């Protein structure tokens, strides 16, 4: 330990570029182990928030960790990169929803922004989930920007700069735990690149640091994990459609089939949301469009599920009106339970539940009640279409009940009167 309490290490300064859902928790982990961390983000507001010791994202235990790391002086944020021993790039890799092609401009910009402050001996790690070949592309950008330095793609083990891809694999909601406990896949451009990256991650990773044969393999590992889950959820979602047609309880079916020692089907739902599983499989498809049939079809099955749920609601509404000839469409009340993209979180982004509620709200002439215990105000997408109400109010008043998210608070509740469309098996 040095006089100022900082660790004496080959990594005296660690720079994390991109202070979002992955970058900020990762930067905070290093800082919590008493390493000097400079977080870099292009958003000035984000930088100011972090420098006040506050957070701009919701993740259990992150706020306390950031507060103490900033207060102790181990973590500072800036809009411009500074010299460091290791650079971790954790910027978004969105995709164009229309043509499903990845947008690598954030990674390119991050590489260009750190290039001027690189010096011999530095390690650059790409953490962002990326199509195969992106780490090599980043290495080429760095080499173009800094012709005075040598890079592994040209100089192998003798290069000035070490480069690796080490994909993040943590589950939103459990990030602070999984950052420490998960195994880490390390895809260095050379064995020494992998070794240096492993030494960096061992600062806080208690899981194993496993070396892949190179960055391309590591990139594909991450995409494969999320595609595996997407394909398995698509299988469950397709079963839910087949079962609905044949009047079979899909949850009973899956739980019985899963009693087989070699069967492990995931759960159906209203669709697949979030920023990872609904996006990453397209990175495989975009690089191998003629081969990735199953992966593409799984995406299409999961993306089609919200519309199927909306169609079920429309059919239930028509049936309700046919059965209650004295009531007009204006008198019907529909309740949606849950808006988040998965249970027990407050994240509504890329949420199939929100998409469904919005669709129902737009064509409903009656009343739409929404129950979402994790928010206090309805998102803009529902403004004017719906009313946020407590669970009991919806449960009591609605004619049609649409269960969209299996929040713990909903489980074990009594099955309401009226028509039920249960996408999560809560009221089986
Ligand atoms: N879902 C189902 N049925 C299931 C499981 C999930 O419909 O049986 C739905 C959820 O409701 C949600 C979506 O899938 O809408 C995704 O949720 P998730 O919990 O499966 O995954 P994410 O997106 O929160 O996090 C995933 C994780 N990947 C894997 O588990 C393979 C996480 O480890 C990754 O780090 C993360 O993606 C990421 O950042 O890539």
């Amino acid at each position: 330990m040095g006089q100022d309490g900082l660790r004496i290490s080959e990594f005296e300064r660690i720079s994390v570029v991109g202070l979002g859902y992955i970058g900020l928790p990762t930067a905070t982990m290093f800082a919590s182990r008493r390493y000097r961390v400079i977080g870099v983000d292009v958003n000035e507001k984000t930088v100011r928030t972090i420098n006040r010791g506050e957070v701009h994202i919701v993740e259990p235990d992150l706020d306390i960790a950031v507060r103490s790391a900033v207060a102790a002086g181990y973590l500072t944020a800036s809009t411009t990169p500074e010299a460091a021993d290791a650079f971790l790039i954790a910027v978004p890799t969105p995709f164009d929803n229309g043509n499903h092609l990845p947008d690598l401009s954030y990674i390119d910009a991050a590489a260009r922004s750190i290039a001027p402050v690189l010096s011999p001996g530095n390690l650059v790690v790409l953490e962002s989930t990326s199509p195969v070949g992106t780490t090599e592309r980043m290495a080429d950008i760095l080499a173009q920007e800094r012709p005075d330095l040598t890079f592994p793609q040209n100089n192998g083990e003798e290069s000035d700069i070490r480069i690796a891809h080490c994909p993040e694999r943590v589950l939103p909601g459990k990030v602070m735990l999984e950052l420490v406990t998960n195994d880490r896949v390390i895809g260095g451009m050379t064995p020494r690149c992998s070794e240096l990256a492993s030494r960096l991650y061992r600062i806080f990773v208690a899981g194993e640091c496993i070396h892949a044969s190179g960055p391309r393999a590591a990139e594909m590992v991450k995409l494969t994990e999320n595609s595996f889950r997407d394909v398995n959820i698509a299988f469950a979602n397709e079963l839910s459609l087949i079962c609905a047609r044949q009047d079979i309880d899909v949850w009973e079916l899956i739980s019985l089939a899963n009693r087989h020692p070699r069967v492990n089907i995931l759960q159906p739902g209203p669709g697949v949301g979030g920023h990872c599983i609904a996006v990453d499989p397209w990175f495989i498809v975009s690089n191998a469009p003629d081969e990735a049939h199953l992966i593409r079809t799984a995406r299409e099955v999961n993306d089609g599920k919200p519309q199927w749920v909306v169609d079920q609601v429309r059919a239930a509404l028509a049936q309700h009106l046919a059965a209650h000839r004295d009531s007009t469409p204006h008198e019907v009340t529909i309740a949606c339970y849950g808006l988040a993209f998965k249970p027990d979180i407050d994240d509504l982004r890329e949420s199939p539940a929100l998409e469904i509620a919005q669709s129902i709200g737009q064509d409903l002439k009656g009343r739409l009640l929404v129950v979402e215990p994790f928010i206090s105000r309805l998102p803009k997408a529902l403004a004017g279409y719906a009313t946020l109400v407590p669970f009991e109010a919806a449960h009591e008043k609605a004619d049609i009940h649409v269960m969209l998210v299996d929040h713990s608070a909903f489980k074990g509740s009594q099955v309401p009167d009226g028509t039920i469309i249960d996408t999560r098996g809560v009221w089986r």
Side-chain angles (χ1 to χ4, degrees):
M1 209 71 77
Q3 277 180 339
D4 49 4
L6 283 169
R7 298 238 175 223
I8 296 170
S9 146
E10 62 192 316
F11 302 112
E12 278 182 19
R13 286 155 74 89
I14 300 167
S15 176
V16 178
V17 183
L19 296 173
Y21 280 85
I22 299 300
L24 182 57
T26 305
T28 310
M29 277 295 162
F30 286 116
S32 72
R33 304 307 194 260
R34 300 185 174 193
Y35 283 78
R36 172 91 181 86
V37 182
I38 307 136
V40 182
D41 201 286
V42 289
N43 188 321
E44 279 180 28
K45 199 170 157 215
T46 299
V47 165
R48 278 200 304 271
T49 305
I50 294 166
N51 282 334
R52 282 198 306 268
E54 293 165 14
V55 291
H56 60 296
I57 50 180
V58 180
E59 180 60 40
D61 301 330
L62 179 65
D63 49 351
I64 303 165
V66 168
R67 198 184 316 137
S68 59
V70 172
Y74 294 120
L75 174 64
T76 50
S78 166
T79 50
T80 40
E82 295 169 25
D85 302 293
F87 294 86
L88 259 86
I89 296 183
V91 294
T93 38
F95 80 127
D96 179 330
N97 229 331
N99 59 19
H100 299 130
L101 292 176
D103 171 3
L104 302 180
S105 59
Y106 293 84
I107 295 178
D108 295 355
R112 289 202 173 88
S113 79
I114 62 165
V117 295
L118 285 182
S119 57
N122 282 178
L123 169 69
V124 181
V125 176
L126 178 64
E127 277 216 10
S128 312
T129 304
S130 307
V132 170
T134 309
T135 308
E136 292 163 340
R137 172 189 167 112
M138 180 189 78
D140 286 341
I141 292 175
L142 294 174
Q144 280 160 20
E145 297 285 315
R146 291 297 302 269
D148 54 319
L149 295 172
T150 59
F151 290 84
Q153 63 270 37
N154 299 320
N155 292 70
E157 294 293 32
E158 305 312 315
S159 64
D160 291 328
I161 306 296
R162 309 254 168 241
I163 295 179
H165 179 60
C166 306
E168 61 83 10
R169 304 156 93 196
V170 288
L171 194 70
K174 283 192 182 169
V175 169
M176 298 304 273
L177 176 74
E178 289 204 356
L179 271 176
V180 176
T181 56
N182 285 3
D183 291 340
R184 198 90 207 194
V185 174
I186 311 277
M189 289 185 72
T190 67
R192 279 170 71 185
C193 293
S194 292
E195 194 36 56
L196 188 58
S198 284
R199 291 209 293 276
L200 176 70
Y201 282 103
R202 279 195 211 112
I203 290 172
F204 67 78
V205 172
E208 253 184 89
C209 290
I210 307 153
H211 292 192
S213 57
R216 296 173 74 85
E219 285 158 350
M220 191 63 185
V221 167
K222 168 63 198 248
L223 302 180
T224 300
E225 291 163 359
N226 280 356
S227 298
F228 168 81
R229 200 158 165 82
D230 196 46
V231 169
N232 195 332
I233 298 168
F235 184 66
N237 276 333
E238 187 163 292
L239 285 176
S240 73
L241 270 54
I242 295 166
C243 285
R245 181 169 288 281
Q246 301 182 102
D247 201 19
I248 292 169
D249 178 341
V250 69
W251 287 279
E252 179 192 9
L253 171 83
I254 291 173
S255 84
L256 293 179
N258 281 351
R259 299 294 285 267
H260 185 285
R262 284 174 294 283
V263 174
N264 186 12
I265 306 166
L266 290 177
Q267 299 300 307
V272 167
H275 343 285
C276 314
I277 295 195
V279 174
D280 302 350
W282 288 118
F283 293 176
I284 295 183
V285 176
S286 70
N287 271 1
D290 295 334
E291 291 80 16
H293 302 294
L294 180 64
I295 293 170
R296 177 201 293 272
T297 304
R299 274 288 65 246
E300 288 165 355
V301 168
N302 287 333
D303 275 353
K305 190 72 193 284
Q307 186 55 49
W308 183 84
V309 176
V310 171
D311 291 342
Q312 297 269 303
V313 176
R314 284 196 185 127
L317 184 58
Q319 263 180 11
H320 179 89
L321 290 170
H324 301 81
R325 291 199 180 276
D326 50 336
S327 74
T328 67
H330 298 273
E331 289 164 346
V332 182
T333 301
I334 299 184
C336 285
Y337 298 83
L339 292 178
F341 90 84
K342 64 179 192 174
D344 298 331
I345 60 164
D346 66 347
D347 195 342
L348 308 190
R349 292 170 308 155
E350 323 297 337
S351 169
L354 179 58
E355 187 186 332
I356 292 165
Q358 199 182 355
S359 253
I360 297 172
Q362 278 167 358
D363 58 33
L364 183 69
K365 295 192 175 58
R367 260 195 335 157
L368 176 62
L369 306 178
V370 168
V371 182
E372 177 47 78
F374 285 87
I375 59 170
S376 51
R377 219 161 18 120
L378 279 179
K380 272 199 197 115
L382 287 175
Y385 297 123
T387 317
L388 187 66
V389 297
F391 181 85
E392 294 71 25
H395 199 263
E396 206 175 289
K397 289 185 192 140
D399 304 298
I400 299 171
H401 303 265
V402 191
M403 175 55 75
L404 295 172
V405 186
D406 46 337
H407 286 313
S408 303
F410 298 161
K411 288 186 190 158
S413 60
Q414 224 186 335
V415 182
D417 293 334
T419 307
I420 288 167
I421 294 163
D422 183 357
T423 69
R424 290 292 185 178
V426 170
W427 286 319
R428 284 184 56 209

